[in-house]
Amino acid sequence: MGIHYGGTASTLENQLDGRVKTLHPNIHGGILARRDVEHHMEALNEHGIGEFGHLISLLFSKDGIENIDIGGPTMIRAAAKYLKRGQNDQQFRRKLAWKAFQHIAAYDSAVSEWLWKQTEGNRDAVADLENIMRGGE
């Protein structure tokens, strides 16, 4: 199994200061393509897009609004939506998808809480965000 960093799969690492490297068809196509649908596989081959069998995504949790993770949660959502990689147990797949969406919901809530505290003038908000997200590591 090959391991690829998102920026290398998309060829966009330096565009917009790295803001769009994982928001790219080379990544999402490889995650969302259904292996049991022939025209999906043909499209991957036609465009030189590799398949993703597993996804590991570490969500940013510090340094304020510039580092709010957009691509990580998007990839996790995509992987959870089409979690069909060698596991035939439908209930097991649904449980993993539920856990993925639960983790993203916790991340979004932590970011929302951090932003709310910023509007109230609380300067300890960055530390609070790091502490909230540490529970998901």
Side-chain angles (χ1 to χ4, degrees):
M1 169 174 57
I3 298 175
H4 301 281
Y5 172 67
T8 61
S10 72
T11 70
L12 294 177
E13 188 162 351
N14 293 320
Q15 289 195 11
L16 302 176
D17 300 320
R19 292 170 180 242
V20 295
K21 63 183 163 267
T22 58
L23 301 172
H24 192 278
N26 284 357
I27 293 177
H28 289 280
I31 294 171
L32 291 170
R34 291 186 47 193
R35 277 73 174 161
D36 60 336
V37 177
E38 188 175 335
H39 69 273
H40 283 205
M41 299 311 293
E42 289 170 356
L44 290 182
N45 288 331
E46 178 183 339
H47 298 288
I49 299 172
E51 299 174 42
F52 282 73
H54 296 86
L55 173 72
I56 299 171
S57 180
L58 304 174
L59 304 178
F60 296 131
S61 64
K62 59 182 179 179
D63 295 331
I65 200 159
E66 278 302 310
N67 283 323
I68 293 173
D69 200 325
I70 304 300
T74 303
M75 289 188 299
I76 293 170
R77 289 173 193 271
K81 182 175 180 179
Y82 287 109
L83 185 64
K84 199 171 186 178
R85 312 292 194 267
Q87 179 58 257
N88 291 325
D89 181 5
Q90 189 77 295
Q91 193 64 20
F92 177 76
R93 292 192 341 239
R94 285 189 177 130
K95 183 177 180 181
L96 289 179
W98 165 71
K99 288 175 112 10
F101 281 100
Q102 184 181 49
H103 185 69
I104 297 307
Y107 180 79
D108 289 342
S109 291
V111 170
S112 175
E113 183 73 15
W114 180 81
L115 289 168
W116 178 80
K117 287 180 177 180
Q118 293 300 301
T119 65
E120 299 297 312
N122 182 346
R123 296 300 171 213
D124 294 327
V126 171
D128 291 346
L129 178 60
E130 288 175 349
N131 287 334
I132 291 168
M133 288 311 300
R134 192 164 289 123
E137 294 179 340

